[in-house]
Amino acid sequence: MTQQNPKRVYRPAWSLSISDDGGRSFTDASFEGGWVHSDHHALWINPNNTKHMYLGTDGGVYMSLDKGNNWLFLNNIPVSMFYHVVTDKAKPYNVYGGLQDNGSWLAPSQSIGGIDNGDWKNIGGGDGFWVQVDQSNPDYVYSESQGGYASCVNMKTNEYFSIQPQALPGEPKLRFNWNTPLYASPTNKHKIYMGAQYLYMSENRGITWKKLSPDLTTNDPLKQKQEESGGITTDNSSAENHCTIFTVAESPFDENTIFVGTDDGNIQLTTNGGTNWTKINPVIAGMPTQIWVSSIEPSKYDKNTVYATLDNHMYGDMNTYAVVSHDMGKSWSLMNTVELHAAYAHRIKEDIVNKDLLFLGTEFGLYISIDGGKNWTQYNSKIPNVAVRDITIEPTTNDLILATHGRGVLIVDDISPLRQLSQQILASDVFIFKTRPTAVTNGHWGGAFPDAGGFVGQNSTEEANIIYYLKDRVMTGDVKIQILDKDGKEVGTAQATKRKGINNVSWSMRRKPPRTAKGVRLDNAGFFGPLCQPGTYTIRITKGDKTYEETIELIKDPVSAHSTADIQMQISTSDSLYKMSEELAFFSSQVFGLKDQAKAMADSTKMLVLRKHLNEFVDKMESIRKELIATKAGLGITGEERIREKLSELYAYVVSYDGRPSDSQLDKMKAIRHDLEIQKAKAEKIWAADLVKLNATIAKAGEKPLTKITKEEFDKQDPSTGVNPNKGLRLLFPHLTLEGAESVERD
C-alpha cells in the first residue's frame, strides 16, 4: 500500500492481486497489456509517483506506469538463472540449457550483431534443468523440467513427446528430484540416462527405458513424509522430494562403468552396466555424511580417478567440499577447497587437454586449479561472485561455458593459455601463450545497426588474440608488441596492456595502413591496411631492454565461400589500390610542398615581378590540388568528391570484402588511375617548363630555388597515425566485426 492511498493494497503471490478497499476484497491485475510471469517476489512503488511501479517475478523485472494495469518487461537485464549447459557440434556451436521457472532454451554462440533475445529458441517448458542433444541425430533434443518431466522435441517438425520413465505395476512411486539428472552417454551415442530412486537407461530416445539398479538412495522413510502436511497444503511439485538420484556420470573409458550420486549422501558404482552396485561413499574426518552429491566427474586420463562435489548447505554448512579418489572410490581425499570460503560446491570439471587443470563451480563464483586440486584461485576476470551451477568445455574452440544463477550463460573464450600455466610460467617475468589458429577474415558476425532494446551478448572476436603474462604490473616504461612476418619484417603492432597477470589484446591481422594524401577531411583509407595472408607470424613483446617471442598461426577461413582465384584477385586489387593511395600521397605531397614554398616566398618577397610569377605558379599547383583532393570540408554525406575520396571509398570496399571485386569496381579503379595520370602529366609539364623558368628567376633574386620532395625523403616521414587502425572501416562499414589493435581485455 502507499501513504497516498492506504486503501489500495497490492498482494504479489502466484499472480498480482489488487484491492481498493483496504484488503477486504481483491481482484487479479489485468495483463491485457502484456503477459507477466507468475511467482511474484518483489514490488516497489515510487513514493513520488505511485503510478510508477517495478515488479520482480520468476521471469524477470517488469515496470508499470499506470498503477499496475499494464506492464512492460525489461528485457535488458542479464540476470537469468541457468541450471545446466551443454553444446552441440554445429559451426558455430549452439548453447543449450534450462532456466529457473523459464523452460529450456538454445542459442548460437555467435550471431550477427551479437546474441540477442531473439536468437534464443524455446525447446521445453516448466522449470528448465537438464538439456541433452541426441548424439546420433542433433535434430532431436531432450529437456527436463521439475520432477523428471522429460520430453524430446523434433527440431524440424517442432513435435514434442514425453519420455519420462514410469513405475511398473507393483513398484513404488518414483521419486524424481526437482532437478532430475538427464544424462547423455559420452561413449555410446544412442544412450541416455535418467534417475529417480532407480537409474534408467534408454537407447531409443526414451521410447523404452531399462531399469539398471535397485533403489540407490538411503530410502530413509523419515525423509519421505511430504504428504503428511500437518494441515498445510501438500506440496506435490517434487521440490520437496528427497532420497533421489541427483547426478549420473559414465566413465569415458567404459560405458558399463557408471557413477550415481544421490541427495542423501550415497555415491554408487557399477562396473558391469548395472548388474551389481557398490556403495563408495566418501568417509572423511571432519566432513559430514549423508551429504548431497552435487556432481561426479570421472577422469578422462585415468579410469581409476573420479572427482565429486558435495553440498551440505541445507543443514547450514556452507563449506566447499570437493573430493577425489584414485582407486575407483575405495578411498577418498578432501581437496584443498574448504578454506576457499566459496560456499557450497555445485560442479567440478576436469579439462579435456590438461589433466592438472580443474574447474570448480561454487555458489560464490568460479575457481581453477593448475596442479590437480592442490591449490585453487578464483577466476574473477569478468566472472562475478554468482553461483556457477554447471561447466562444459567446447572441444573445437577451447571455450569454457558456464551456467550461472544470476548472469545467465557465460563463455570464456579459448582457455588454451590456462592449459599452459605452470609454476615455472608464473615465476617468469614475461611469457607469451600459444593461442588457437585464427582464420583470416573480415568477419562474419557484424551488424549494420546496433540493437535498440534488449540485452545483447557479445560475440567472441574474430581477430587474432595475443595473450601474455606479466609477473608484475609495469609501473614505468613501456611494453611494445610487434607482429613480424617470416622474413622478420614488421607487418603490424598491437597496443599492450601492463596489468599484472594474464593480458589479452587483439590484433586486427591487418598490414600497416597506406599513406594518404592530406586534405581538409580525414581519409579513412589511412586508418586500416589489407588483411595479412595465412601463415606463421612472430609476436615480439619488448619490455625494457628484453624481448620475448612466440609464433601465431593465421589460417585460411574454413567457412569461406570464395574460390582461390577470387581471393587472389581480391589480394592483388587491394595491393594495387594500396600502392595507388601511397602514390597519390607522394604526388600530392610534391604539389603541396611546391605550392607552400611558392606561397611563402610570394608573401615575403618585395619584388613585384617575382611575386607575380610565384602567385601564377601557386595557382597552377592549386588547380592540380583541387582535382586530387577535396578542398571543402564536409562529413558523412557532405563535402566534395575528388580523386582521393573516390580512391578511399573504393579501397575501403575492396579491402573489407574477402571475395572478388566486382567488374564495376575494377572499372572504377581504371578510371581513377586515368584521372590520376592526367594530373601527373599536367604537373610534370608544369615542372619541366614553368618551374625551371621560375627557379631561374628566383636564383637571379638571390633566393633558394623551389624543390620537390624526393621519394626517399617522403619515405622517411613518419606515417604513423597513432589511432585505431580499424576506425576508418568502422565508420564506413559498421557491419564488420572489427576490434582493432587497441587494448581489448576479454575473459
Side-chain angles (χ1 to χ4, degrees), residues 535-606:
T536 301
Y537 294 81
T538 297
I539 304 298
R540 176 182 293 167
I541 295 181
T542 302
K543 175 179 175 287
D545 58 355
K546 295 182 179 180
T547 61
Y548 307 83
E549 292 186 351
E550 182 56 82
T551 58
I552 188 169
E553 292 291 328
L554 303 187
I555 61 174
K556 180 182 177 182
D557 184 4
V559 300
S560 173
H562 308 296
S563 69
T564 300
D566 287 350
I567 293 173
Q568 288 303 316
M569 181 177 286
Q570 190 273 345
I571 293 171
S572 63
T573 306
S574 296
D575 285 342
S576 295
L577 292 168
Y578 185 99
K579 292 174 182 176
M580 197 184 304
S581 178
E582 295 227 324
E583 179 185 343
L584 176 60
F586 173 53
F587 176 45
S588 68
S589 181
Q590 290 180 311
V591 173
F592 266 80
L594 288 169
K595 176 195 168 186
D596 290 345
Q597 291 174 60
K599 182 70 167 61
M601 190 176 294
D603 290 342
S604 64
T605 185
K606 296 180 180 179

Side-chain angles (χ1 to χ4, degrees), residues 41-284:
H41 300 285
L43 179 68
W44 179 82
I45 305 171
N46 188 337
N48 299 315
N49 178 8
T50 57
K51 293 181 179 181
H52 181 208
M53 308 165 67
Y54 288 103
L55 177 65
T57 78
D58 267 14
V61 179
Y62 297 78
M63 180 179 70
S64 175
L65 298 175
D66 58 4
K67 296 198 299 184
N69 293 313
N70 293 280
W71 295 91
L72 173 68
F73 179 59
L74 304 181
N75 62 356
N76 57 355
I77 307 175
V79 292
S80 56
M81 302 167 69
F82 275 85
Y83 282 98
H84 300 284
V85 63
V86 297
T87 62
D88 62 15
K89 297 178 181 179
K91 304 293 182 185
Y93 64 86
N94 292 302
V95 173
Y96 301 75
L99 276 170
Q100 191 276 327
D101 206 7
N102 277 274
S104 297
W105 300 80
L106 76 86
S109 57
Q110 301 272 78
S111 185
I112 295 174
I115 303 97
D116 61 26
N117 294 325
D119 287 315
W120 289 89
K121 297 179 182 178
N122 181 234
I123 51 174
D127 277 75
F129 292 101
W130 287 88
V131 178
Q132 299 289 351
V133 182
D134 188 276
Q135 301 301 302
S136 62
N137 186 344
D139 289 332
Y140 290 92
V141 179
Y142 310 100
S143 65
E144 180 267 332
S145 59
Q146 63 265 43
Y149 287 96
S151 65
C152 179
V153 59
N154 183 325
M155 298 297 294
K156 287 187 174 180
T157 64
N158 199 39
E159 292 178 290
Y160 288 78
F161 55 96
S162 174
I163 62 169
Q164 183 183 32
Q166 302 295 323
L168 297 176
E171 289 186 336
K173 178 182 177 181
L174 298 184
R175 299 190 302 272
F176 291 98
N177 194 276
W178 177 257
N179 183 355
T180 293
L182 174 60
Y183 179 81
S185 167
T187 62
N188 186 327
K189 63 182 181 181
H190 300 291
K191 278 188 180 182
I192 57 173
Y193 299 90
M194 283 193 69
Q197 66 266 47
Y198 315 113
L199 180 65
Y200 291 89
M201 182 272 294
S202 175
E203 294 181 293
N204 58 3
R205 300 195 182 108
I207 296 174
T208 306
W209 290 97
K210 179 182 178 181
K211 189 167 75 171
L212 297 183
S213 74
D215 191 331
L216 297 177
T217 72
T218 62
N219 196 23
D220 186 345
L222 294 177
K223 299 176 181 178
Q224 299 178 49
K225 296 184 177 183
Q226 288 82 1
E227 294 185 3
E228 299 176 21
S229 67
I232 300 175
T233 302
T234 300
D235 187 332
N236 64 358
S237 69
S238 79
E240 305 303 324
N241 281 1
H242 205 28
C243 300
T244 65
I245 292 174
F246 188 75
T247 185
V248 179
E250 183 189 287
S251 170
F253 292 96
D254 178 15
E255 65 179 296
N256 292 311
T257 299
I258 308 166
F259 298 87
V260 167
T262 72
D263 63 2
D264 54 358
N266 283 349
I267 298 181
Q268 302 269 16
L269 167 67
T270 179
T271 58
N272 51 19
T275 302
N276 304 103
W277 290 86
T278 302
K279 188 162 62 175
I280 55 171
N281 294 9
V283 179
I284 299 173

Side-chain angles (χ1 to χ4, degrees), residues 382-560:
K382 301 182 182 178
I383 306 293
N385 293 340
V386 295
V388 177
R389 300 294 300 252
D390 198 10
I391 304 170
T392 192
I393 299 171
E394 209 291 316
T396 60
T397 62
N398 305 318
D399 292 347
L400 184 75
I401 301 106
L402 311 176
T404 77
H405 264 34
R407 289 298 185 276
V409 172
L410 297 176
I411 299 178
V412 181
D413 295 334
D414 189 12
I415 60 171
S416 300
L418 296 180
R419 291 169 175 162
Q420 300 166 57
L421 274 179
S422 65
Q423 293 302 326
Q424 182 179 359
I425 290 174
L426 293 175
S428 303
D429 187 33
V430 179
F431 183 84
I432 308 173
F433 295 99
K434 290 284 289 185
T435 55
R436 63 191 180 196
T438 306
V440 178
T441 173
N442 275 290
H444 303 287
W445 306 112
F449 289 92
D451 190 87
F455 173 77
V456 179
Q458 183 182 5
N459 286 319
S460 62
T461 180
E462 294 185 77
E463 298 183 339
N465 281 329
I466 299 172
I467 306 176
Y468 57 98
Y469 168 80
L470 296 177
K471 182 179 180 181
D472 297 298
R473 181 176 180 84
V474 179
M475 304 300 293
T476 59
D478 201 9
V479 178
K480 182 181 179 182
I481 300 178
Q482 299 167 280
I483 299 92
L484 312 176
D485 65 14
K486 59 183 177 61
D487 299 320
K489 180 182 177 181
E490 182 182 302
V491 295
T493 61
Q495 184 176 337
T497 49
K498 302 179 181 180
R499 68 179 186 179
K500 178 181 179 180
I502 296 177
N503 293 258
N504 187 344
V505 301
S506 64
W507 170 45
S508 64
M509 300 182 289
R510 295 187 180 278
R511 292 157 44 192
K512 292 181 178 180
R515 286 170 290 186
T516 58
K518 296 179 180 179
V520 294
R521 56 190 292 186
L522 288 175
D523 186 347
N524 287 317
F527 289 94
F528 57 94
L531 286 168
C532 293
Q533 298 310 300
T536 301
Y537 294 81
T538 297
I539 304 298
R540 176 182 293 167
I541 295 181
T542 302
K543 175 179 175 287
D545 58 355
K546 295 182 179 180
T547 61
Y548 307 83
E549 292 186 351
E550 182 56 82
T551 58
I552 188 169
E553 292 291 328
L554 303 187
I555 61 174
K556 180 182 177 182
D557 184 4
V559 300
S560 173

